[in-house]
């Protein structure tokens, strides 16, 4: 059986180091707001290239905290509109509505699965104050055109970097920056299945804005920058010392792991040959995709998934129900987003992770190439 994602195998590579740091923390007896979180925050700043990292409990909280801080600072107000891709994972949208802001759903480009930047300008109203871009499936969503639009309308750009930690954007002048360091602030997730996965929940905000950073730091700790003095009505959203220590171990290997994912993606792209399947479109720069998910499309998605399951290959659908069709957002259920709906009907994610064996990738390719739907 080929698993969709084998976390046991991924973490087994680093088991000795992980067990050692866990033992150190148990012996020391200091579990929150300590040296390990501070160290990881510094290492993550160095990695991303951003001035500030604020560790928190998970990726959703990272996004919630960014928006909440903008509200505390008077940059955003209840009811303001935030543009967000209609096909994102629900967490991006939950962060917006949780802060009583209004998500404005914009269709993705079917070629990139990312926000269609050419549709952004027409979605802007006088209430629009921010754009939340999502580097979906590990692919960078950015363009110099987006920066121009944001500047023209004074919009904040917030990155949902949950799926793309380690990816780059290459500018026209040949310089590059990591995702998480492109907009005003970014939410990063270290959910175990993400490219940089903790052994439990955790997340982080990255930003170059010092005032935003200190506001978020206070908000994540009951709204307090000084013990028992509460400036804001905050949350409790902190990263554990033990998760920070695990992440410091795993961060060292992230670029190498992402490169293995890219090699698997290359192999899929070169060798899957089936007329009924549309492969993901390659990026101009290979570093602009950390291949969090390898998503193919076919009109006969459910049949293909059944066929692969029967042949002991696990696949997943990201995602089966778009946000506007969810019960949680009943007010949007009658809206129509044809491209988003098409993706949700046709997308299938193949296994892709750093500890996959070559033979496993080969087996998947051979099975897919043999598949034919006779509808
Ligand atoms: C995983 C994910 C999140 C949320 O991260 P958690 O750590 O699970 O809270 C947000 N947005 C996207 C696009 C994600 O994939």
């Amino acid at each position: 059986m080929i698993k969709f994602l084998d976390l046991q195998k991924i973490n087994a590579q680093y088991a000795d180091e992980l067990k050692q740091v866990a033992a150190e923390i148990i012996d020391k007896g200091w579990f929150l707001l300590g040296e390990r979180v501070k160290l990881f925050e510094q290492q993550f700043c160095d990695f991303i290239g951003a001035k500030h990292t604020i560790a928190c409990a998970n990726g959703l909280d990272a996004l919630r905290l960014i928006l909440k801080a903008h509200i505390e600072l008077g940059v955003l107000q209840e009811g303001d509109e935030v543009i967000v891709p209609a096909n994102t994972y629900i967490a991006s949208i939950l962060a917006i509505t949780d802060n009583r802001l209004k998500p404005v759903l914009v269709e993705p480009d079917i070629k990139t699965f990312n926000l269609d930047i050419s549709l952004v300008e027409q979605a802007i109203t006088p209430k629009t104050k921010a754009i939340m871009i999502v580097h979906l499936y590990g692919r960078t969503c950015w363009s110099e055109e987006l920066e121009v639009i944001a500047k023209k309308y004074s919009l904040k750009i917030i990155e949902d970097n949950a799926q793309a930690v380690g990816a780059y954007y290459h500018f026209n002048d040949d310089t590059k920056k990591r995702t998480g360091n492109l907009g005003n602030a970014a939410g990063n997730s270290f959910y175990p299945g993400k490219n940089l996965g903790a052994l439990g929940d955790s997340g982080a905000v990255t930003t170059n804005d010092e005032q935003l950073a200190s506001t978020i730091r206070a908000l994540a700790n009951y709204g307090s920058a000084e013990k028992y003095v509460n400036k804001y009505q905050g949350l409790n959203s902190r990263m554990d010392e033990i998760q920070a220590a695990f992440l410091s171990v795993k961060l060292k290997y992230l670029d190498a792991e992402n490169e293995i994912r890219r090699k698997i993606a290359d192999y899929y792209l070169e060798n899957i040959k089936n007329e009924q399947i549309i492969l993901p479109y390659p990026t101009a720069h290979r570093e602009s995709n950390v291949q969090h998910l390898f998503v193919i499309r076919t009109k006969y998605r459910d049949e293909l998934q059944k066929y692969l399951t029967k042949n002991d290959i696990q696949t997943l659908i990201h995602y089966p129900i778009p946000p506007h069709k969810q019960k949680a957002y009943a007010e949007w259920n009658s809206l129509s987003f044809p491209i988003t709906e098409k993706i949700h009907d046709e997308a299938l994610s193949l296994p892709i992770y750093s500890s996959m064996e070559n033979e496993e990738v080969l087996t998947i390719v051979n099975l897919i190439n043999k598949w034919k739907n006779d509808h």
Side-chain angles (χ1 to χ4, degrees):
M1 149 109 118
I2 301 178
K3 287 189 180 172
F4 181 73
L5 181 67
D6 192 338
L7 287 179
Q8 210 177 3
K9 199 165 165 193
I10 292 171
N11 289 310
Q13 304 172 92
Y14 318 119
D16 290 346
E17 281 183 88
L18 295 171
K19 285 176 185 168
Q20 192 191 326
V21 293
E24 279 168 25
I25 287 162
I26 294 165
D27 289 346
K28 195 170 172 204
W30 191 278
F31 304 113
L32 285 164
L33 301 172
E35 291 306 317
R36 298 301 317 219
V37 168
K38 241 187 228 149
L39 177 65
F40 174 69
E41 286 180 339
Q42 188 49 54
Q43 292 167 335
F44 201 62
C45 282
D46 295 342
F47 179 82
I48 294 285
K51 280 203 194 101
H52 306 278
T53 296
I54 305 97
C56 65
N58 55 64
L60 172 57
D61 275 6
L63 296 170
R64 288 169 70 206
L65 286 162
I66 291 168
L67 293 167
K68 198 170 167 63
H70 279 96
I71 292 172
E72 294 293 353
L73 293 169
V75 178
L76 291 176
Q77 288 175 354
E78 252 187 63
D80 282 349
E81 293 175 4
V82 180
I83 288 172
V84 63
N87 64 320
T88 187
Y89 178 57
I90 196 83
S92 325
I93 294 169
L94 290 171
I96 299 171
T97 54
D98 183 63
N99 280 288
R100 297 170 192 269
L101 299 162
K102 187 175 170 235
V104 174
L105 306 180
V106 171
E107 287 267 55
D109 179 342
I110 192 118
K111 288 192 171 171
T112 62
F113 301 117
N114 276 334
L115 181 68
D116 187 339
I117 291 166
S118 73
L119 300 177
V120 167
E121 198 157 10
Q122 68 199 57
I124 294 171
T125 76
K127 289 215 143 234
T128 310
K129 296 290 153 57
I131 306 173
M132 185 182 288
I133 53 165
V134 183
H135 308 295
L136 202 68
Y137 306 157
R139 183 182 181 118
T140 306
C141 174
W142 194 261
S143 73
E144 278 146 86
E145 183 195 353
L146 177 74
E147 291 181 77
V148 171
I149 296 170
K151 205 171 236 168
K152 181 169 165 194
Y153 296 95
S154 305
L155 308 177
K156 300 287 178 195
I157 302 181
I158 294 156
E159 294 171 76
D160 181 339
N161 195 33
Q163 300 191 358
V165 174
Y168 280 98
Y169 178 73
H170 288 254
F171 293 88
N172 290 335
D173 65 4
D174 243 20
T175 58
K176 61 178 185 180
K177 271 189 191 176
R178 298 247 195 205
T179 59
N181 190 27
L182 295 166
N184 295 88
N188 302 272
S189 167
F190 311 121
Y191 173 79
K194 297 285 161 69
N195 288 35
L196 176 60
L199 279 63
D201 272 321
S202 59
V205 174
T206 44
T207 182
N208 289 306
D209 180 333
E210 181 157 4
Q211 194 186 20
L212 189 70
S214 59
T215 307
I216 289 169
R217 197 174 287 288
L219 282 172
N221 188 35
Y222 307 110
S224 157
E226 189 187 334
K227 205 165 188 184
Y228 305 127
V229 182
N230 296 81
K231 190 166 175 189
Y232 310 108
Q233 298 174 15
L235 320 170
N236 173 4
S237 181
R238 301 181 297 216
M239 183 189 286
D240 297 334
E241 287 281 287
I242 201 160
Q243 296 304 338
F246 290 150
L247 288 167
S248 291
V249 170
K250 292 186 72 180
L251 182 60
K252 293 182 291 186
Y253 306 108
L254 180 61
D255 277 331
E257 284 205 19
N258 284 342
E259 188 50 31
I260 295 172
R261 286 172 179 269
R262 289 188 191 108
K263 294 229 162 80
I264 296 170
D266 287 345
Y267 192 83
Y268 279 147
L269 287 171
E270 279 164 31
N271 294 288
I272 294 178
K273 291 193 166 68
N274 187 315
E275 282 177 358
Q276 293 179 328
I277 289 171
I278 301 170
L279 294 171
Y281 291 78
T283 48
H285 294 272
R286 85 186 257 104
E287 288 179 314
S288 308
N289 196 335
V290 288
Q291 305 290 351
H292 174 58
L293 296 170
F294 191 87
V295 178
I296 62 174
R297 288 196 293 127
T298 168
K299 288 208 174 76
Y300 314 107
R301 188 260 318 273
D302 295 344
E303 288 80 357
L304 176 58
Q305 186 172 40
K306 266 186 219 129
Y307 164 82
L308 291 172
T309 306
K310 226 173 47 199
N311 284 286
D312 278 342
I313 315 289
Q314 283 185 346
T315 57
L316 287 177
I317 297 168
H318 297 91
Y319 298 91
I321 308 172
H324 71 281
K325 295 289 184 194
Q326 298 284 358
K327 201 169 166 199
Y329 292 108
E331 67 274 28
W332 299 335
N333 287 176
S334 61
L335 299 181
S336 162
F337 293 95
I339 296 169
T340 295
E341 286 158 33
K342 192 177 173 64
I343 294 169
H344 287 76
D345 287 342
E346 297 185 351
L348 187 68
S349 306
L350 303 182
I352 190 164
Y353 51 94
S354 59
S355 54
M356 259 181 106
E357 307 291 341
N358 290 341
E359 305 89 82
E360 293 178 322
V361 184
L362 202 77
T363 303
I364 294 169
V365 169
N366 288 337
L367 278 168
I368 291 178
N369 287 350
K370 270 193 280 184
W371 174 73
K372 188 166 186 306
N373 187 280
D374 327 296
H375 276 80

